[in-house]
Amino acid sequence: MDNGNDQQIDVGSVVEAVSADHSFGAPLYVVESMCMRCGENGTTRFLLTLIPHFRKVLISAFECPHCGERNNEVQFAGEIQPRGCSYHLEVSAGDVKTFDRQVVKSESATIKIPELDFEIPPEAQSGSLSTVEGILSRAADELSALQEERRKVDPKTAEAIDQFLSKLRACAKAETSFTFILDDPAGNSFIENPHAPSLDPSLTIKFYERTPEQQATLGYLTNPSQTGQSERSLGTPSTQTTALPHGTIGATAGHRAIAQSNSTDISDNLFRYSAPEEVMTFPSTCGACTKLCETRMFVTKIPYFQEVIVMASTCDDCGYRNSELKPGGAIPEKGKKITLSVKNITDLSRDVIKSDTAGVKIPELDLELAGGTLGGMVTTVEGLVTQIRESLARVHGFTFGDSLEQSKINKWKEFGSRLTKLLSLEQEWTLILDDELANSFISPVTDDIKDDHQLTCKLLNVP
């Protein structure tokens, strides 16, 4: 790092920089801080940057000129994700390239290698930006650090650790096959996919709902009494669920409730099918500031699809807004694969409901998004493609920096150009929604869905 470009500032300025909406190109900040080894003052450098295919992180590096102490750490500079994530990377023996994959481990993530019955809990390592090889090597070095002292006190334990270290180092040298699992309930960890935007045959990504215990670990209030509002009487109107008939509120108030959220596509598209029979209002807790707020909910039926539950929350204290679309009724016995042949401009205007369990495929581009990517949304075919394009542009940050190979730069530019051409309809293309829970939908352009020959739905057996 070039000290000539460093800015000596206070901690408050760093916090403001992290809170700002910078994509990349943020300056390097330097803060004077105390060394925990010798007690003298050293310097900590902060860099806010964007990791390709991931999100914004804050990298900090401390150095003490008095005793030589040095350390670094990576922290996520944003909000906790709505769901947790689990990455499963299959590493084959002799596959040295896999060890160069970039790995972001947040402070809440756990790393596991089932074949060795080995686990690195969140408290064992802080957040880090490394590679698969770097994480395994660091774990081996930390385990072997006190081996000489263990041999003097407990020879049997030291011998068992030596045997384990030989297996761990064999994995770190690609001498044996193993599975590298990165599980993070905060959803802020990441393993690089070198084949992006195509599917990685060695990497499996799953998203899951957090348990109450995981919520509490991340700092969420899981007990309503913690909000300080539990003293209210259950009989007061503020805590009673209220339902007003269609004649009183109807579609007008329902439309207004959803329009107040952060997803205008819901109000634009859902109401062309049917108006809600009733809008229910009930108290809830804001996910941002934990204050009491209101959530509005209604159930509506979409032709050729099913019942859906639309929920919208607004917080008057912090201004947080959120909307969700949930499937109604029982879980289908089979999944659904919807295939649309996009041929004309009318097809771009078709309504699309993509659930948070649905994967998206465009065979002409070799593009495949795993289930959970982009979350659930109500949009159009054009809106879905636009969202994919904007999402890819948002996660690139320094992808086009000096460190990237020219061949990869050309690959991404070519892919972006091909993605844009989909909306110009220079050629026909195919959109596939693959949903294990059958909660996704593409609207037909005919009165009877059977007469729409460009749209096909296939039921799938879910394993």
Side-chain angles (χ1 to χ4, degrees):
M1 295 180 180
D2 186 2
N3 292 334
N5 295 331
D6 295 353
Q7 301 180 19
Q8 190 75 28
I9 59 168
D10 58 11
V11 177
S13 299
V14 177
V15 174
E16 291 178 2
V18 173
S19 301
D21 188 17
H22 294 307
S23 296
F24 54 88
L28 175 68
Y29 299 101
V30 179
V31 177
E32 187 175 350
S33 51
M34 187 183 73
C35 176
M36 302 306 294
R37 172 179 288 185
C38 68
E40 298 291 338
N41 281 347
T43 55
T44 300
R45 291 173 171 82
F46 293 93
L47 177 65
L48 182 66
T49 187
L50 193 66
I51 295 179
H53 321 305
F54 189 46
R55 52 181 70 94
K56 191 164 54 176
V57 297
L58 179 67
I59 303 175
S60 62
F62 173 79
E63 183 175 0
C64 178
H66 303 282
C67 66
E69 172 71 5
R70 301 179 67 181
N71 61 68
N72 58 72
E73 188 174 347
V74 173
Q75 294 182 344
F76 176 64
E79 63 182 9
I80 294 175
Q81 302 307 302
R83 294 189 296 169
C85 64
S86 180
Y87 289 78
H88 290 241
L89 178 64
E90 301 292 337
V91 182
S92 303
D95 187 6
V96 181
K97 290 184 178 180
T98 302
F99 287 88
D100 294 331
R101 288 176 184 246
Q102 190 178 60
V103 177
V104 177
K105 177 194 175 297
S106 79
E107 59 274 10
S108 60
T110 300
I111 294 176
K112 301 178 184 179
I113 300 179
E115 290 80 359
L116 302 182
D117 198 18
F118 177 62
E119 178 176 321
I120 304 176
E123 59 272 12
Q125 288 187 7
S126 59
S128 62
L129 172 60
S130 185
T131 61
V132 175
E133 181 183 14
I135 288 179
L136 296 181
S137 299
R138 178 182 174 184
D141 292 341
E142 291 179 350
L143 280 174
S144 60
L146 301 176
Q147 275 297 83
E148 294 302 324
E149 287 77 2
R150 289 193 188 98
R151 289 190 180 92
K152 298 176 183 178
V153 178
D154 192 349
K156 291 185 178 180
T157 301
E159 183 181 355
I161 292 178
D162 283 334
Q163 294 176 357
F164 176 80
L165 283 172
S166 64
K167 297 178 181 178
L168 184 60
R169 290 197 170 101
C171 291
K173 296 178 182 178
E175 295 176 358
T176 181
S177 301
F178 65 95
T179 305
F180 185 89
I181 300 176
L182 179 62
D183 187 275
D184 185 5
N188 288 329
S189 294
F190 165 77
I191 296 179
E192 178 189 10
N193 173 13
H195 307 285
S198 301
L199 189 67
D200 189 338
S202 303
L203 184 64
T204 303
I205 308 173
K206 294 182 179 180
F207 300 91
Y208 59 87
E209 300 294 334
R210 287 185 284 266
T211 63
E213 291 77 12
Q214 291 173 328
Q215 294 274 50
T217 302
L218 295 176
Y220 281 101
L221 296 178
T222 56
N223 188 346
S225 63
Q226 292 179 276
T227 63
Q229 305 291 338
S230 59
E231 301 299 326
R232 292 191 176 186
S233 171
L234 293 178
T236 59
S238 60
T239 57
Q240 284 184 333
T241 301
T242 58
L244 296 175
H246 175 72
T248 305
I249 291 185
T252 303
H255 196 292
R256 186 188 309 117
I258 307 305
Q260 290 175 350
S261 71
N262 58 6
S263 178
T264 56
D265 286 335
I266 292 180
S267 58
D268 289 340
N269 294 299
L270 274 182
F271 282 92
R272 75 179 59 184
Y273 293 114
S274 61
E277 291 303 317
E278 62 179 17
V279 177
M280 291 181 288
T281 303
F282 56 89
S284 59
T285 302
C286 176
C289 68
T290 71
K291 297 290 183 64
L292 286 181
C293 65
E294 282 191 343
T295 296
R296 296 175 177 87
M297 179 184 73
F298 70 84
V299 180
T300 186
K301 171 69 176 176
I302 297 179
Y304 308 116
F305 187 40
Q306 61 186 35
E307 274 190 351
V308 294
I309 303 171
V310 182
M311 304 178 67
S313 302
T314 58
C315 179
D316 295 332
D317 289 279
C318 67
Y320 176 76
R321 295 175 178 179
N322 182 45
S323 63
E324 294 182 72
L325 180 73
K326 298 293 184 181
I331 297 177
E333 296 182 358
K334 295 186 176 183
K336 182 188 294 184
K337 182 178 181 180
I338 307 173
T339 303
L340 172 66
S341 178
V342 182
K343 298 181 179 181
N344 51 59
I345 194 171
T346 304
D347 296 326
L348 296 179
S349 301
R350 289 175 184 251
D351 295 324
V352 174
I353 296 178
K354 177 196 171 299
S355 76
D356 51 9
T357 60
V360 180
K361 298 179 184 179
I362 301 179
E364 288 78 4
L365 295 185
D366 292 329
L367 172 67
E368 182 169 349
L369 303 181
T373 307
L374 299 180
M377 63 177 66
V378 180
T379 182
T380 61
V381 173
E382 181 180 9
L384 179 60
V385 175
T386 301
Q387 182 69 25
I388 294 173
R389 182 179 59 190
E390 292 177 352
S391 178
L392 289 174
R394 191 165 53 247
V395 300
H396 273 290
F398 55 80
T399 302
F400 294 148
D402 297 336
S403 62
L404 190 68
E405 298 176 4
Q406 187 62 40
S407 59
K408 291 186 178 181
I409 294 177
N410 295 335
K411 174 185 175 182
W412 276 107
K413 287 184 176 180
E414 180 186 358
F415 179 82
S417 175
R418 293 172 61 193
L419 192 60
T420 303
K421 288 181 179 178
L422 294 181
L423 300 181
S424 62
L425 294 174
E426 295 184 11
Q427 63 178 23
E428 297 179 4
W429 54 281
T430 307
L431 173 64
I432 301 175
L433 296 183
D434 197 339
D435 192 348
E436 294 181 352
L437 294 183
N439 289 327
S440 296
F441 168 75
I442 298 179
S443 66
V445 293
T446 57
D447 293 335
D448 191 336
I449 194 171
K450 296 179 181 179
D451 297 331
D452 192 339
H453 303 295
Q454 294 175 230
L455 184 65
T456 59
C457 298
K458 181 180 180 182
L459 297 179
L460 304 174
N461 291 320
V462 180

